[in-house]
Amino acid sequence: LRGNGVMTNLNLNSNNIHDEGAKAIGEALRVNEVLTELDIGWNQIGDEGATAIAEALRGNAVLTSLDVGVNNIGPTGATAIAEALRGNEVLTSLDVRCDEIGSTGATAIADALKGSGVLTNLNLLGNDIGPEGAKAIGKALAVNGVLTSLDVSGNKIGPTGATAIAEALR
């Protein structure tokens, strides 16, 4: 990726790259100027790997789609990704499905979403964000005018979380 000037899409899904592989990919992303889509789902990268990818996002001006789903990413990794989103002006699609971000990670992503003017697709399926995470997402939706696709299925949001998201849709 460091020297490749033509590859725009990289799919490393289901390759057991773990944290070490995610760190290597993150390093390459810092200098890559053409890769627009990266799928590293199903790789057990965890919080440490997610943090490495997040660090790369801060300086990357071309990556528009990132899939880090099904990676055992917890609140720490989700928070790192959220912080990177705050300064990123090109990422339009983020998939964090079936990780372990919980309400803390969802709240961090929601806070970043409030200021994002480009993220249009967010997948949080199966992260046990609960009602508190859904309320945070609802508050973000109320001020974010660009998100067009949101998946919060399988998150035990209950009536309180559903109400918060419904209020934002009004």
Side-chain angles (χ1 to χ4, degrees):
L1 287 177
R2 285 188 178 109
N4 183 296
V6 294
M7 186 182 338
T8 59
N9 185 324
L10 177 59
N11 187 336
L12 292 170
N13 194 296
S14 303
N15 276 296
N16 267 346
I17 68 171
H18 296 274
D19 291 326
E20 186 177 323
K23 288 177 186 176
I25 296 297
E27 277 298 313
L29 280 177
R30 289 176 199 255
V31 296
N32 182 283
E33 297 176 351
V34 295
L35 190 70
T36 58
E37 296 180 28
L38 175 61
D39 181 348
I40 55 172
W42 295 81
N43 275 297
Q44 301 174 13
I45 66 170
D47 284 339
E48 196 175 330
T51 300
I53 296 297
E55 295 285 327
L57 280 179
R58 292 180 199 270
N60 182 289
V62 294
L63 192 69
T64 60
S65 178
L66 176 61
D67 183 341
V68 291
V70 198
N71 270 310
N72 301 317
I73 295 170
T76 302
T79 300
I81 290 172
E83 288 298 319
L85 282 178
R86 290 182 199 277
N88 185 289
E89 298 176 359
V90 294
L91 193 70
T92 59
S93 180
L94 176 61
D95 188 338
V96 193
R97 78 190 175 288
C98 300
D99 281 316
E100 301 166 4
I101 70 169
S103 62
T104 302
T107 300
I109 289 173
D111 287 345
L113 191 58
K114 288 177 186 175
S116 173
V118 294
L119 193 69
T120 58
N121 182 26
L122 177 59
N123 187 347
L124 296 175
L125 175 147
N127 271 288
D128 200 20
I129 69 170
E132 292 306 310
K135 284 196 282 189
I137 295 292
K139 287 179 183 174
L141 289 175
V143 297
N144 176 291
V146 297
L147 194 71
T148 58
S149 176
L150 172 66
D151 188 345
V152 290
S153 58
N155 274 296
K156 302 175 189 163
I157 66 171
T160 304
T163 300
I165 290 174
E167 287 295 322
L169 294 176
R170 290 192 181 130

